[in-house]
Amino acid sequence: MERRFTLIVTHVPGYFERREAVSELRSILGVVEVVSRYNNVLLLWHPRPLEAVNILRRSLPKSTPILRVIPVLDVRRPLVTEVREAVHKLLTRAPRGSFAIRIDGYLVDEDGRLMHRLDAVKFIAEGVERPVNLESPDVLVYIKVVGRPAHKAAAIYVGPREGILSIPRERGHG
């Protein structure tokens, strides 16, 4: 990825749905810049991503094409060693308590080979001095690999599960 982004927004597929999603985001958040887009994913820059999620949670219309809004606290190459380093650093600033790691997409090892998600989770979790709670963690480590094939990046969020906005789940449709 050539530029930094601080929010990942997924929306209902379609050209008009993407335009509506961007229009809603700009209307509600004001300062928002589209860094990149592909399929039904928007990579955006906003100065305060955690705050943006809360504002959107309160303000998105019922008929929004937006499905999920994920704040991004760090962006790294999708190398498991780089992601592990970033996650460990972010966990030092996260609230105390249990944690769980979720990976959406695939990270690669030092030799450039795709890793199984479970192997990547184990590698990243190694050395973390917190209890694991897969059902209801106090802190969620969410890693989403984004971008087009030649320009992949690992976006990282570490915080409470409520920090990620899922419109279908919160509105009882998923």
Side-chain angles (χ1 to χ4, degrees), residues 26-56:
R26 287 190 171 135
S27 170
I28 294 167
L29 297 175
V31 179
V32 66
E33 181 181 336
V34 177
V35 174
S36 185
R37 62 181 170 79
Y38 64 97
N39 299 336
N40 62 330
V41 177
L42 297 167
L43 304 180
L44 307 167
W45 180 87
H46 185 274
R48 294 174 306 283
L50 298 171
E51 187 180 307
V53 171
N54 290 325
I55 292 168
L56 291 168

Side-chain angles (χ1 to χ4, degrees), residues 63-82:
S63 62
T64 183
I66 293 172
L67 299 172
R68 290 178 85 200
V69 182
I70 304 159
V72 176
L73 303 180
D74 201 351
V75 178
R76 299 290 179 106
R77 294 184 303 167
L79 291 168
V80 72
T81 51
E82 287 189 24

Side-chain angles (χ1 to χ4, degrees), residues 90-147:
L90 288 167
L91 277 170
T92 64
R93 298 188 304 237
R96 295 194 183 281
S98 63
F99 82 112
I101 299 173
R102 308 250 193 283
I103 300 176
D104 187 355
Y106 293 94
L107 299 174
V108 296
D109 64 16
E110 297 80 18
D111 298 323
R113 291 185 304 246
L114 290 177
M115 295 183 71
H116 290 283
R117 286 190 187 113
L118 185 56
D119 293 337
V121 166
K122 287 178 182 176
F123 183 83
I124 293 166
E126 196 173 287
V128 173
E129 298 295 327
R130 290 174 176 258
V132 173
N133 181 339
L134 300 179
E135 296 301 314
S136 183
D138 298 309
V139 176
L140 174 64
V141 174
Y142 182 75
I143 301 154
K144 183 170 179 68
V145 179
V146 297

